[in-house]
Amino acid sequence: MTEGRLLVPLYVHPAEDPAAWQALTRVPSLLYGVVLNVADGPGATRDPAFAAVAGALRAVGVRVLGYLDSAYGTRPHQLVIEELRRHINWYGIDGVFLDQAGAEADLLPYYRALAEEARGHGAGPVVFNPGTHPDPGYAAVADLLVTFEGDWPTYLTAAVPSWTAEYPPTRFCHLVHGVPDSLCDLAAGTARTRRAEVHCAVPGGGANPWAALPPAVRRGTT
């Protein structure tokens, strides 16, 4: 598998934008991975279109991360694991993207158990997305922490706590949307100066900003 810098959550059905999914297969060296979000999870039944794009990505060496909603630690553990198994069986995922992850220290046992079980099923890396800097203990549990998810104006003034310096930048990711197209490269550079080697900056906005590709994928370079 490749070790690129872009973690792309492409939340659009392959039938709606096949060109976007095809573009991802052309830039495997740029990608840390692609998040496969069928229906806020694997869906109730296998979707052949998502199975096809997952197979195409993995064929060129791109990690496919199955989207799992943890609802800030409120979803039953077993329900999340059942969805993990469906992701594995239907789409052959490599790792998991646990969205709406908790950030508080008292939720660490819940997320530690999910991470251990995911790895026990052969799903790695394990990515947590609290969208903010969580308790430092989460960095010892996840392979990658999304410590910012939000819009460009908010990102401009975001702060980075000092504890992040104890870990390599490859352990952190920033996801920024609503970035003017011409400034997406600046957003990526800002992520790196804030010790987040993995990132994704897109111009998309509205209810689903992650239906857009980062410009780097469209042009094939970072």
Side-chain angles (χ1 to χ4, degrees):
M1 295 294 177
T2 58
E3 289 291 344
R5 295 171 174 164
L6 294 175
L7 173 62
V8 179
L10 184 56
Y11 297 166
V12 63
H13 195 278
E16 292 182 29
D17 194 351
W21 288 97
Q22 291 165 7
L24 289 169
T25 66
R26 294 193 290 269
V27 291
S29 64
L30 305 185
L31 300 173
Y32 176 92
V34 175
V35 181
L36 195 78
N37 185 1
V38 180
D40 292 335
T45 59
R46 179 181 181 274
D47 187 320
F50 274 105
V53 295
L57 287 166
R58 297 187 73 240
V60 295
V62 177
R63 289 190 186 101
V64 177
L65 307 179
Y67 179 100
L68 295 171
D69 181 5
S70 68
Y72 304 106
T74 64
R75 295 189 78 207
H77 175 97
Q78 192 55 39
L79 181 59
V80 178
I81 296 305
E82 287 172 5
E83 292 188 351
L84 165 67
R85 293 189 184 113
R86 294 207 296 270
H87 262 306
I88 293 171
N89 292 335
W90 294 345
Y91 307 113
I93 60 165
D94 302 288
V96 294
F97 181 88
L98 277 160
D99 200 18
Q100 299 195 98
E104 298 80 15
D106 61 355
L107 287 173
L108 269 168
Y110 172 90
Y111 285 97
R112 186 178 294 111
L114 287 179
E116 289 175 355
E117 189 141 7
R119 293 185 181 110
H121 282 77
V126 175
V127 181
F128 291 169
N129 179 24
T132 188
H133 285 90
D135 180 271
Y138 284 82
V141 178
D143 297 302
L144 182 70
L145 274 178
V146 179
T147 52
F148 181 89
E149 181 180 0
D151 61 29
W152 176 236
T154 304
Y155 191 56
L156 289 173
T157 59
V160 178
S162 59
W163 67 259
T164 60
E166 300 174 17
Y167 296 89
T170 51
R171 299 287 297 279
F172 301 103
C173 173
H174 292 169
L175 302 177
V176 191
H177 55 75
V179 185
D181 201 87
S182 62
L183 297 181
C184 284
D185 287 345
L186 174 62
T190 302
R192 288 192 288 270
T193 63
R194 293 176 178 174
R195 295 186 52 78
E197 187 69 21
V198 184
H199 60 267
C200 187
V202 300
N208 180 19
W210 303 113
L213 283 175
V217 170
R218 296 200 303 267
R219 67 173 183 263
T221 60
T222 53

